[in-house]
């Protein structure tokens, strides 16, 4: 009988399972005591607050709140219970590792005895400070950051969103996010929300949004689930960056690259160590390189300068001092065929790498120089012919009287 009585008593003193599941999810330390102030339940946060890995059930109040003046707590709790109100008081406990912990205690009477909540002041201050820092980061971010429920209702809207979309926060908080989504993108957005409901993070991708004045803007979008204290998905956070200008700039760069590739001049760029990292199609054609196989070579190797290496080094020194150099170089060409190039070197600083680069623009004047040599040879031959004709004419003038006299004597 005594055993059955003790069993029934223990069973009555244990909190039901549903309540313990709720208490386990709390982010604050929670203890349940019987009327003799023996612990009958402590959640996971309670064990962490004490710094113990042991089961606190069955332990007295002094061991659950080490360093706390138990008598003061008990007397004040008795007074509060008589008034029918919970007790709230500041306290300090000592963890098992010796660290002191300031806390706020809330004690309320229960059917079993008492429920005690211990709120860590430092943890709360750290949490509040972290939340304030995160709020400041979100508020001052250049990116548009929008929070929404799983039904697509906007719950937060930062200044970056106002700059991008043109709406003030007061205009859209509480409104459906569909106001900034193009009609032809609603299916895409519904799919994203469906994936977020399952806790999935949507990787960065390019999509479109609509501003207050009706413009469509290209954005780089990332969507992440918002979780509550229990880890359940309660909303979604979208971070959008306007890349309209970036895409336009990339298109301009592609157009410039196309024009460079179509240029008849050989265009080569190398770094301060003379390592080639770009050359256009004409450079490959003139110098005899396939696409990209010359990248990484030294400039003199790409230009096939067997004879003019010293001249190139001299030209690079002049370009470094004066910013530019122009003159002729004579590459061997593919298969050893001699070439003549009119070369213009320009020194510049790359904005991204902050390193010096050299732009080399070369015009193939091999045929021009060949024609010039042929023309010069023709001019020389013509001059020699004119000189020979003049000499013959002068000789005829000298010999004419002699021939006439000789002819008279013969008669």
């Amino acid at each position: 009988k005594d055993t059955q009585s003790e069993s029934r008593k223990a069973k009555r003193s244990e909190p039901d399972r549903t309540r313990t599941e709720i208490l386990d999810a709390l982010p604050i330390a929670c203890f349940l005591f019987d009327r003799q102030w023996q612990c009958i339940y402590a959640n996971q946060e309670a064990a962490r607050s004490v710094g113990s890995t042991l089961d606190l059930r069955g332990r007295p109040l002094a061991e659950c709140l080490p360093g706390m003046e138990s008598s003061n707590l008990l007397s004040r709790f008795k007074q509060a219970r008589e008034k029918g109100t919970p007790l709230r008081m500041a306290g300090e406990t000592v963890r098992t590792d010796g660290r002191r912990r300031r806390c706020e205690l809330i004690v309320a009477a229960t059917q079993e005895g008492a429920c005690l909540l211990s709120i860590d002041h430092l943890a709360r201050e750290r949490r509040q400070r972290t939340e304030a820092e995160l709020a400041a980061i979100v508020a001052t971010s250049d990116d548009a950051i929008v929070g929404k429920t799983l039904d697509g209702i906007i719950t937060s809207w930062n200044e970056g969103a106002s700059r991008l979309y043109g709406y003030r926060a007061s205009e859209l908080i509480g409104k459906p996010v569909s106001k900034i989504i193009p009609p032809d993108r609603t299916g895409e957005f519904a799919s994203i929300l469906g994936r977020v409901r399952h806790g999935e993070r949507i990787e960065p991708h390019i999509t479109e949004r609509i501003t207050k004045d009706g413009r469509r803007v290209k954005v780089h979008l990332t969507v992440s689930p918002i979780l509550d204290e229990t880890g359940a998905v309660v909303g979604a956070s979208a971070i959008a960056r306007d890349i309209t200008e970036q895409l336009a700039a990339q298109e301009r760069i592609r157009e410039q690259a196309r024009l460079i590739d179509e240029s008849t001049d050989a265009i080569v760029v190398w770094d301060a160590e003379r390592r080639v990292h770009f050359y256009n199609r004409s450079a490959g054609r003139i110098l005899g390189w396939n696409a990209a196989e010359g990248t990484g070579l030294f400039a003199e190797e790409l230009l096939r300068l067997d004879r003019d290496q010293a001249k190139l080094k001299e030209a690079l020194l002049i370009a470094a001092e004066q910013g530019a150099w122009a003159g002729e170089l004579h590459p061997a060409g593919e298969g050893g065929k001699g070439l003549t190039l009119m070369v213009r070197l320009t020194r510049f600083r790359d904005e991204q790498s902050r390193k010096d680069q050299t732009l080399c623009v070369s015009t193939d004047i091999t045929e021009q120089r060949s024609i010039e040599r042929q023309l010069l040879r023709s001019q020389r031959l013509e001059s020699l012919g004119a000189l020979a004709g003049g000499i013959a004419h002068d000789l005829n003038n000298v010999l004419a009287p002699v021939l006439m006299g000789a002819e008279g004597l013969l008669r």
Side-chain angles (χ1 to χ4, degrees), residues 196-316:
V196 169
R197 281 191 183 92
H198 293 91
E200 184 178 347
R201 179 179 181 271
I202 310 302
E203 292 300 321
H205 63 284
I206 296 174
T207 186
E208 290 184 323
R209 290 293 180 261
I210 293 181
T211 63
K212 186 176 182 180
D213 58 10
R215 290 181 299 110
R216 292 174 76 109
V217 291
K218 294 279 189 181
V219 296
H220 194 258
L221 185 70
T222 304
V223 185
S224 303
I226 297 174
L227 310 178
D228 65 9
E229 293 84 355
T230 66
V233 179
V234 295
S237 172
I239 302 175
R241 177 172 297 175
D242 185 0
I243 58 169
T244 306
E245 285 299 321
Q246 179 184 335
L247 292 177
Q250 289 175 353
E251 182 58 33
R252 288 194 295 270
I253 290 171
R254 282 193 291 268
E255 179 63 17
Q256 291 168 357
R258 186 182 65 80
L259 293 174
I260 288 173
D261 243 2
E262 291 180 357
S263 172
T264 56
D265 288 337
I267 300 175
V268 184
V269 178
W270 59 74
D271 58 25
E273 286 76 38
R274 305 194 314 281
R275 288 284 187 183
V276 174
H277 57 82
F278 170 80
Y279 60 94
N280 69 344
R281 192 180 304 165
S282 291
R285 174 180 54 79
I286 292 171
L287 299 169
W289 298 101
N290 295 326
E293 70 174 344
T295 302
L297 296 177
F298 285 106
E300 56 268 29
E301 294 175 326
L302 183 85
L303 296 175
R304 300 185 188 274
L305 292 176
D306 297 333
R307 293 180 297 155
D308 282 355
Q309 289 192 30
K311 188 174 182 179
L312 175 64
K313 291 180 181 178
E314 181 184 351
L316 288 172

